[in-house]
Amino acid sequence: MNRKIAYWSVVVAASGFLFGFETAVISGADQPLQRLWNAGDLFHGLFIMSSALWGTVIGALFGNIPAERFGRKLSLIVIGVLYLVSALGSAFATDPYMFSFMRFIGGLGVGASSIVAPAFISEIAPARYRGRLVALYQFQLVFGILVAFFSNY
């Protein structure tokens, strides 16, 4: 297998790690956020905690559109920017609305990456290595969840 293909597959599969981490890390901030913003259970659950999941649904439903129109590589770069903006915006959020919006932006990246990253890897991989290389994405996703739970602990 070409080393360049293996390298790019591992780099792109890192979006799977971010997917898993982004999805699970919020559980460690659940109660502190609710106390910080004195949020009721319904508002906290439907708005603050699940905002990234709403973005993930939308990103997964429509992530193919920019990937088809502008290509997988450019789409992955934009997804990386969404992750960065979400992380910085969430870190510096001053209220639950800004925090939720930034998490929603990250969710868009998560959802889109679930479509674009495996597609990109499968397109660059030789047929006999395709399954193994795409599986890197799935492995990284689960690894991201594991790391999030350790960081929450």
Side-chain angles (χ1 to χ4, degrees):
M1 176 177 20
N2 182 331
R3 292 179 77 118
K4 190 174 181 180
I5 291 172
Y7 170 78
W8 283 111
S9 296
V10 169
V11 168
V12 171
S15 69
F17 176 85
L18 294 173
F19 182 149
F21 190 83
E22 168 80 13
T23 303
V25 76
I26 192 68
S27 66
D30 178 21
Q31 296 304 312
L33 284 174
Q34 189 170 16
R35 285 191 301 272
L36 174 68
W37 288 315
N38 197 25
D41 291 339
L42 185 63
F43 177 77
H44 181 69
L46 285 178
F47 192 68
I48 297 172
M49 293 303 291
S50 65
S51 58
L53 295 176
W54 297 114
T56 300
V57 170
I58 293 169
L61 286 173
F62 299 106
N64 66 314
I65 296 170
E68 293 292 325
R69 181 169 287 163
F70 305 112
R72 314 300 184 260
K73 185 176 179 181
L74 181 59
S75 296
L76 286 167
I77 291 168
V78 171
I79 288 166
V81 170
L82 290 175
Y83 279 130
L84 178 65
V85 167
S86 172
L88 292 174
S90 297
F92 294 110
T94 55
D95 60 52
Y97 302 101
M98 182 179 175
F99 181 79
S100 296
F101 180 72
M102 290 299 148
R103 294 269 303 151
F104 178 80
I105 296 295
L108 291 174
V110 164
S113 74
S114 72
I115 302 299
V116 180
F120 180 83
I121 294 169
S122 68
E123 289 173 353
I124 67 168
R128 65 184 226 190
Y129 297 110
R130 191 168 295 141
R132 281 180 257 181
L133 292 175
V134 173
L136 285 172
Y137 177 83
Q138 294 300 322
F139 171 78
Q140 289 290 349
L141 195 156
V142 174
F143 186 60
I145 293 169
L146 178 68
V147 170
F149 286 146
F150 278 123
S151 73
N152 287 346
Y153 177 75

